[in-house]
Amino acid sequence: MSANILIVEDEPAIRQMLGFTLAGDGYQFTEAGDVEQAQQAMGTLTPDLILLDWMLPGISGVDFARRLKRDPKTSAIPIIMLTARGSENDKVKGLDTGADDFITKPFSTRELLARVRAVMRRAHTGGEQEVIEMGAIKLDSQTHRVLANNRPVELSPTEFRLLQFFITHPERVYSRNQLLDSVWGNHAYIEERTVDVHIRRLRKLLEPYGCEAYIQTVRSVGYRFSALTE
Ligand code: CA
């Protein structure tokens, strides 16, 4: 059975474009123009993913996301927020609502599908996936092996965890502190610039394979992994 995605967007043209794109990739979808309609739809069907517009008439997408993430019945449903706000700081703020990912309008259909696939994979495999492929990089979580352009890359455990985190959370900006939380765990005594050091090492190790540009610096915010080349 194909996954069902709930689209909550008040602009009919965008809603239509989203539905068309998802259907073209084999997804089923349900449309809602506001939070009330979304709640009605969720009364009969639990979506596998929600694409949620930030700015909606009535209850905002941000408030709806918070509400869904607070309710144990709906907290596991992945949410991708759609927003017209461009600033990277707003993106980071948006993620604090509990949304699983964030897409800024206007976005390409390719970007949309890449994010949808990544979020679904994370949500429905518990995050521990065997082999993940992004661009020229292949990462095997079971064997801890990394291939770039089909050639093995030797990574230290920290660099492996960092790359694993990035590759399972692509197209999203993380602050140094968020990376410390996610990759280093208990980091009370680790300084933020440690992240920069490991990013530099990781880039250097990926450089011979032409993959160093996948790890992007987002000025004054942090880092993002992207294997999409426009
Ligand atoms: Ca809107």
Side-chain angles (χ1 to χ4, degrees):
M1 214 183 72
S2 70
N4 199 309
I5 299 175
L6 176 62
I7 302 167
V8 192
E9 163 68 66
D10 59 314
E11 283 169 70
I14 298 178
R15 211 163 60 221
Q16 230 170 31
M17 182 274 276
L18 291 168
F20 185 77
T21 304
L22 294 172
D25 210 44
Y27 295 104
Q28 293 184 350
F29 65 92
T30 308
E31 292 181 44
D34 56 28
V35 169
E36 204 179 315
Q37 284 178 20
Q39 281 173 322
Q40 247 164 39
M42 289 175 72
T44 51
L45 166 137
T46 303
D48 298 291
L49 171 76
I50 302 175
L51 289 180
L52 180 58
D53 187 25
W54 174 299
M55 297 292 278
L56 289 167
I59 301 160
S60 75
V62 178
D63 287 339
F64 189 43
R66 279 207 192 95
R67 201 185 287 179
L68 290 170
K69 290 296 179 185
R70 240 186 270 128
D71 186 341
K73 287 200 293 292
T74 52
S75 61
I77 304 172
I79 298 173
I80 300 179
M81 298 283 310
L82 308 174
T83 181
R85 295 164 191 237
S87 115
E88 301 287 359
N89 276 316
D90 275 343
K91 289 191 187 184
V92 173
K93 225 181 286 166
L95 291 169
D96 291 339
T97 63
D100 299 81
D101 205 351
F102 221 78
I103 307 182
T104 307
K105 297 174 190 171
F107 45 83
S108 66
T109 55
R110 203 164 146 229
E111 184 188 0
L112 172 74
L113 291 174
R115 304 270 191 114
V116 165
R117 283 187 208 120
V119 167
M120 296 277 254
R121 202 165 47 209
R122 265 192 337 256
H124 301 292
T125 57
E128 276 298 314
Q129 219 218 356
E130 351 46 77
V131 181
I132 302 169
E133 201 171 349
M134 284 275 163
I137 298 179
K138 236 183 254 176
L139 182 143
D140 189 328
S141 298
Q142 304 287 303
T143 61
H144 276 225
R145 288 192 58 186
V146 175
L147 298 178
N149 284 322
N150 290 319
R151 282 181 294 162
V153 186
E154 292 300 327
L155 298 179
S156 73
T158 303
E159 270 91 56
F160 179 85
R161 282 205 311 278
L162 188 58
L163 182 63
Q164 185 180 36
F165 178 78
F166 274 134
I167 215 163
T168 51
H169 300 77
E171 304 302 323
R172 186 162 139 179
V173 186
Y174 290 92
S175 68
R176 287 167 180 80
N177 203 46
Q178 285 173 319
L179 288 171
L180 282 174
D181 273 342
S182 305
V183 179
W184 277 264
N186 187 357
H187 61 80
Y189 303 103
I190 303 175
E191 290 175 57
E192 288 199 352
R193 65 187 166 86
T194 306
V195 175
D196 301 323
V197 173
H198 286 279
I199 294 271
R200 219 175 298 139
R201 279 192 209 155
L202 185 55
R203 276 190 183 136
K204 203 160 186 196
L205 290 162
L206 295 175
E207 208 178 328
Y209 312 94
C211 300
E212 74 280 8
Y214 289 1
I215 298 163
Q216 303 168 352
T217 302
V218 180
R219 195 176 285 226
S220 78
V221 183
Y223 296 99
R224 164 177 54 215
F225 180 90
S226 176
L228 296 177
T229 40
E230 290 305 323

